[in-house]
Amino acid sequence: MTTVSLRRAAATLIAGAFAFAALPAASAVPAVPRKPEPPRSAAAITAELNEHVELPGTAWMTRPDGRILVSYDSTVTGARLQALTRQTQRFGSQVVLERMPGKLGKKLGGGGVIWGGEYKCSLGFNVQRKGRFYFLTAGHCGNFAPHWYHDERKTNRIGTVHHSSYAWNDYALVVYRSGLKPGGSVSLPNRRSQDITKAMNPGINQLVYRMGATSGLHSGRVTGLNATVNYPDGRVAGLIRTSVCADEGDSGGPLFYRNFAFGLTSGGTGDCRSGGVTYFQPVVEALNVYGVTVY
């Protein structure tokens, strides 16, 4: 090739290079920003969590500021925690994640006032209907045994389960055996008692007391309402969340303040040595379902 031909070829290549460089790069095209999901109501978020999250060891409730507090216990790690995070992060700042110490579970075992099957639970509130006497306890206790006794050897029968509801709810109605006419008060330590005459739903920050067969009398505050809890064997919704501690065997025990009945111990995390979170079935719901009253 001659010198002139080489020069012409080089000029053609340079011109082509400039023409190519003048084309816009694909990466320079601005991406269309993804619109964030619009804010949703607390009820809508709770409904989605109820539908899509069935992970044991988790719980959620609406905080006073309108945001949803999603709690998880020590069993929710690794892939399970990642899955929970994916489910909640799409709600942005409307959802707050919280790690609870210990393992979320029902407060069965450990010694109790009432005994049924292989389990020990706590008696909640005495109630009546048309001259018949009953007591309320946790539904998961009622599911485990048809008959309940005063003693571990099961020689002194208190009564028979009339109805029990668990999961989704956590209450049971036990009819006292014929001849028993119990008082309407809650037994306290040192042979004291608290008369119960009314039932109501508590408010946030309400001072409350809980009596349990294992741990006795403890106090705390209401920290949330309408909470949903995923136990290993089922979900319970509409619960009262509190800062009161509880131990195994306290299931079914009463939550109250003065003469007001609030709830029945369902479950939680921790214990009365290290503290924890405890959830309660609202007693008003159970009273309405069974058509009974405190007295």
Side-chain angles (χ1 to χ4, degrees), residues 127-134 175-182 291-293 295:
V127 295
Q128 64 177 347
R129 181 182 63 192
K130 297 180 179 179
R132 292 295 303 272
F133 294 94
Y134 308 80
V175 56
Y176 278 102
R177 64 178 173 82
S178 179
L180 288 181
K181 294 183 179 180
V292 295
T293 59
Y295 60 92

Side-chain angles (χ1 to χ4, degrees), residues 70-89:
V70 177
S71 308
Y72 60 95
D73 68 12
S74 59
T75 67
V76 181
T77 59
R80 301 175 73 193
L81 180 56
Q82 292 175 9
L84 178 63
T85 303
R86 284 195 300 270
Q87 290 283 354
T88 58
Q89 66 184 2

Side-chain angles (χ1 to χ4, degrees), residues 277-293:
V277 173
T278 305
Y279 295 91
F280 296 83
Q281 164 69 54
V283 73
V284 169
E285 180 183 357
L287 295 174
N288 290 338
V289 167
Y290 294 134
V292 295
T293 59

Side-chain angles (χ1 to χ4, degrees), residues 35-114:
K35 293 182 180 180
E37 294 187 10
R40 307 185 192 187
S41 66
I45 295 175
T46 299
E48 289 205 30
L49 292 173
N50 287 342
E51 181 178 357
H52 298 296
V53 180
E54 298 183 0
L55 183 63
T58 59
W60 47 81
M61 70 174 191
T62 303
R63 300 197 322 185
D65 63 6
R67 294 196 291 176
I68 306 298
L69 178 65
V70 177
S71 308
Y72 60 95
D73 68 12
S74 59
T75 67
V76 181
T77 59
R80 301 175 73 193
L81 180 56
Q82 292 175 9
L84 178 63
T85 303
R86 284 195 300 270
Q87 290 283 354
T88 58
Q89 66 184 2
R90 60 197 179 94
F91 300 116
S93 61
Q94 289 183 274
V95 169
V96 178
L97 280 177
E98 170 203 47
R99 187 183 187 279
M100 296 187 293
K103 182 178 179 180
L104 187 62
K106 304 183 295 296
K107 297 299 182 180
L108 285 167
V113 171
I114 56 174

Side-chain angles (χ1 to χ4, degrees), residues 94-254:
Q94 289 183 274
V95 169
V96 178
L97 280 177
E98 170 203 47
R99 187 183 187 279
M100 296 187 293
K103 182 178 179 180
L104 187 62
K106 304 183 295 296
K107 297 299 182 180
L108 285 167
V113 171
I114 56 174
W115 303 74
E118 299 177 358
Y119 294 97
K120 314 158 190 74
C121 288
S122 298
L123 189 150
F125 298 100
N126 288 323
V127 295
Q128 64 177 347
R129 181 182 63 192
K130 297 180 179 179
R132 292 295 303 272
F133 294 94
Y134 308 80
F135 69 81
L136 294 171
T137 189
H140 63 265
C141 294
N143 280 4
F144 284 127
H147 305 292
W148 288 85
Y149 300 82
H150 267 307
D151 58 317
E152 185 175 5
R153 298 180 64 183
K154 304 179 185 63
T155 59
N156 186 3
R157 182 171 62 86
I158 305 173
T160 301
V161 174
H162 179 76
H163 183 270
S164 179
S165 181
Y166 179 86
W168 192 251
N169 303 305
D170 199 3
Y171 48 72
L173 184 68
V174 181
V175 56
Y176 278 102
R177 64 178 173 82
S178 179
L180 288 181
K181 294 183 179 180
S185 60
V186 170
S187 297
L188 303 177
N190 300 320
R191 297 184 179 181
R192 294 178 297 127
S193 65
Q194 172 62 58
D195 191 27
I196 300 295
T197 60
K198 299 179 182 179
M200 63 180 293
N201 292 315
I204 298 294
N205 206 40
Q206 167 72 51
L207 174 64
V208 289
Y209 292 90
R210 179 199 56 73
M211 186 64 191
T214 302
S215 61
L217 184 66
H218 288 272
S219 64
R221 297 278 179 177
V222 172
T223 58
L225 302 172
N226 198 30
T228 299
V229 177
N230 292 301
Y231 294 121
D233 61 347
R235 170 181 292 172
V236 182
L239 298 179
I240 303 165
R241 172 174 162 149
T242 75
S243 62
V244 188
C245 69
D247 284 325
E248 293 181 350
D250 290 337
S251 280

